[in-house]
Amino acid sequence: MKIFTPAYRSAFSAVFGIAAASAAVLAAAVPEAAFAAQVYHNEDGTDLSVFGRVEARYMNKTSRNERKGGIEGRTRLGVAASSKIVSGVKAVAFGEWEVASATSQNGKWNTRYAYTGFDFSQYGTLVFGQGESARYLAAGFTDVFEDAGFHGQNYPMLGERQEGQVMYALAVGGYTLSASLQTPNRGMGRYFDHDRQVWQDLDVNLGFAAAGTYNWTDGLLDGLAFGISYDWYDNEHSVSGDRHDFGVAFSYGHLGDGLYTAVQYSREKFKSEKHHSTGWEAVGGYAFECGLGFMLGFGYEGYHFDRAENSYLAGQVSYDFNPSLKLYGEGELGLGRLDYPQPETKQHSRYEIGLIYSF
């Protein structure tokens, strides 16, 4: 998944034909939506579009079972719909599903996004279902790779695209604001308790997230963006107790269009643990007009500053044959040994080469 940036607002607007910025936040602005095909349009304001992508990739360690490398296939399919209710209000729906090769992930369709609700034009978008929490609005600044990186902080702990949420987003000028409410949900994730040295299942009784960003679009600061976020979760059956997380991020440029750089900091605390977990992520790269692009990234997360949970370098080189077909190669190099989940855990490097056709 790629970060939401102003460059993708018009792409998602083409799918919904409504409130580009707020709708794009809620769907994390999937890039393949830029190629959506409108399959139905009615003068009463009803629209239906489909989009997706098909990918083949060679991985030195295939997904899930970490067996030796091979080629896997992966397909995504999405639908977006909107219809007028009254002047200034539309009903909206968005869904996206992914399926991988039968031998690697059992060939089953997995839901990435599934939500429906209302678009109130300049008053924002309110939807219900499965999607990114509001925290992603800032966390997503460094989510720039296909599969590598994006684990120098704990945003993915509860499954990234969380089920059972109420999500709201509003874009006004250069500001974008987002809030999400997580309803009760069992088995949302697993957490390694640093003090007790045990794994715990996380059953969420209630959760809340809020975030805001500002994008400068003119003057000397054109291309600069700032984001801040906070979330809290009541983990009903976890002895680690409630979880709090704060994040701040900066970026400059537009992903996929020339220079793009970003850095983010996060600080997380479970109620019963003595110390915080602190994470840093930084990415930087350039996309040339000829279709060639590259991206480098670094991530570190540690408990009480001095005990590493994640430490890595990531990189990607890509080439766009045309707006639909992309060839990429990316990899991740583990830096040193980790203190968790076992002391002196040896890190392994991995890489993949893929070909993606988006429609």
Side-chain angles (χ1 to χ4, degrees):
M1 179 57 61
K2 296 293 190 291
I3 183 177
F4 162 71
T5 65
Y8 289 135
R9 291 184 180 179
S10 59
F12 202 80
S13 178
V15 179
F16 276 122
I18 55 171
S22 57
V25 172
L26 294 171
V30 287
E32 52 263 37
F35 308 103
Q38 189 178 66
V39 297
Y40 180 78
H41 171 74
N42 192 294
E43 293 181 356
D44 67 0
T46 300
D47 294 284
L48 174 65
S49 298
V50 298
F51 62 91
R53 75 181 197 178
V54 180
E55 176 183 359
R57 55 180 178 163
Y58 173 84
M59 309 173 68
N60 71 319
K61 293 181 179 180
T62 52
S63 57
R64 301 220 174 178
N65 54 14
E66 293 292 309
R67 59 184 172 85
K68 292 184 178 180
I71 295 178
E72 292 184 357
R74 185 165 58 175
T75 300
R76 291 180 189 172
L77 181 64
V79 296
S82 67
S83 59
K84 180 180 177 181
I85 298 177
V86 295
S87 178
V89 180
K90 284 192 175 185
V92 297
F94 185 91
E96 187 185 51
W97 300 266
E98 179 177 274
V99 61
S101 302
T103 55
S104 60
Q105 295 183 21
N106 300 318
K108 295 181 179 179
W109 287 93
N110 296 312
T111 301
R112 289 169 53 83
Y113 299 95
Y115 59 75
T116 185
F118 306 92
D119 177 76
F120 300 102
S121 188
Q122 69 267 32
Y123 300 106
T125 304
L126 177 67
V127 296
F128 309 84
Q130 179 172 328
E132 306 282 1
S133 77
R135 169 88 169 83
Y136 186 80
L137 190 61
F141 277 44
T142 53
D143 186 9
V144 299
F145 299 100
E146 293 295 333
D147 293 294
F150 198 49
H151 50 87
Q153 36 71 36
N154 273 328
Y155 173 76
M157 179 185 296
L158 297 177
E160 296 189 66
R161 294 166 292 274
Q162 297 166 203
E163 183 181 359
Q165 292 192 101
V166 180
M167 298 165 282
Y168 176 78
L170 171 67
V172 180
Y175 294 94
T176 304
L177 306 174
S178 183
S180 58
L181 176 69
Q182 176 65 59
T183 59
N185 202 334
R186 294 184 176 274
M188 288 191 65
R190 299 194 74 210
Y191 175 70
F192 185 81
D193 188 303
H194 303 89
D195 295 339
R196 297 176 178 82
Q197 296 284 294
V198 295
W199 284 97
Q200 299 182 26
D201 293 325
L202 297 180
D203 297 331
V204 174
N205 184 50
L206 187 67
F208 172 79
T213 64
Y214 183 77
N215 294 281
W216 282 265
T217 57
D218 54 27
L220 294 176
L221 298 180
D222 183 22
L224 181 66
F226 166 76
I228 188 170
S229 66
Y230 172 80
D231 64 17
W232 163 83
Y233 289 91
D234 173 10
N235 298 305
E236 184 178 16
H237 300 292
S238 171
V239 295
S240 293
D242 296 356
R243 168 183 176 266
H244 301 261
D245 185 279
F246 167 81
V248 60
F250 292 88
S251 72
Y252 180 77
H254 303 286
L255 184 64
D257 182 16
L259 176 68
Y260 181 79
T261 61
V263 61
Q264 75 159 294
Y265 165 84
S266 62
R267 185 172 175 86
E268 176 196 64
K269 178 70 166 64
F270 277 82
K271 184 176 181 180
S272 69
E273 289 190 331
K274 297 179 181 179
H275 305 293
H276 291 80
S277 291
T278 304
W280 289 94
E281 284 189 330
V283 298
Y286 197 92
F288 298 91
E289 291 185 3
C290 65
L292 181 66
F294 71 89
M295 186 68 66
L296 297 174
F298 164 78
Y300 175 83
E301 184 180 18
Y303 181 65
H304 197 216
F305 299 104
D306 58 351
R307 284 174 274 177
E309 299 173 74
N310 282 298
S311 183
Y312 64 88
L313 287 174
Q316 182 191 90
V317 177
S318 62
Y319 180 74
D320 294 331
F321 291 95
N322 60 29
S324 293
L325 188 63
K326 171 184 175 180
L327 174 68
Y328 75 91
E330 70 177 31
E332 187 174 300
L333 174 66
L335 300 177
R337 293 176 179 265
L338 301 179
D339 299 298
Y340 303 105
Q342 299 295 331
E344 294 296 305
T345 301
K346 182 180 179 181
Q347 295 194 84
H348 298 281
S349 301
R350 61 188 180 92
Y351 66 87
E352 62 185 69
I353 300 172
L355 191 63
I356 300 174
Y357 186 90
S358 300
F359 60 91

